[in-house]
Amino acid sequence: MNCDAFLQWMKSHTGQGMSKNPEVTAHLGSCPACRQIFSLDACLEAVIQQAFTPHSLPADLVETIDACLDRINHAHPSMNFPGHAQEPTVETADPFSRKGAVKKTGPVKKSFQK
């Protein structure tokens, strides 16, 4: 087996071990470059497998996050982040108030009802 054949095998082996192919084993024994590629591929496969393995989270994780957010919100109640525009207040005429009085309301609520 040469390096090109080995690289082709790497693309198509889809999880098969090298022990099932004696040509691959022999080539890896004689070619340091392909051995390094194979080693890196095995490492990558292991990391991907670990990333998709379910992990149990601490039982109180949600409560811990909520408590942190509460502390932040109480310490900085009206934070203005750069690049984040505040919603404008809308002035509307209130038909139930004195003649023509203008009422300031909160942010506009969009309704998509037909």
Side-chain angles (χ1 to χ4, degrees), residues 53-112:
T53 301
H55 299 280
S56 58
L57 299 174
D60 63 343
L61 180 62
V62 172
E63 291 80 12
T64 303
I65 293 171
D66 284 342
C68 288
L69 291 174
D70 287 343
R71 281 195 304 272
I72 290 170
N73 286 336
H74 291 303
H76 308 286
S78 59
M79 293 174 57
N80 222 353
F81 296 106
H84 178 73
Q86 294 292 324
E87 292 183 3
T89 38
V90 178
E91 294 184 3
T92 59
D94 185 357
F96 300 106
S97 66
R98 288 180 267 133
K99 291 183 183 178
V102 175
K103 176 182 174 186
K104 290 191 178 207
T105 62
V108 177
K109 303 255 189 228
K110 294 181 182 177
S111 174
F112 295 101

Side-chain angles (χ1 to χ4, degrees), residues 12-70:
S12 63
H13 81 284
T14 61
Q16 296 172 357
M18 67 178 196
S19 61
K20 293 185 178 185
N21 190 329
E23 290 179 351
V24 170
T25 305
H27 183 73
L28 287 175
S30 65
C31 181
C34 289
R35 193 168 41 250
Q36 183 178 14
I37 290 171
F38 184 79
S39 176
L40 289 172
D41 183 66
C43 250
L44 182 59
E45 291 284 339
V47 169
I48 291 170
Q49 180 70 30
Q50 182 183 12
F52 286 99
T53 301
H55 299 280
S56 58
L57 299 174
D60 63 343
L61 180 62
V62 172
E63 291 80 12
T64 303
I65 293 171
D66 284 342
C68 288
L69 291 174
D70 287 343

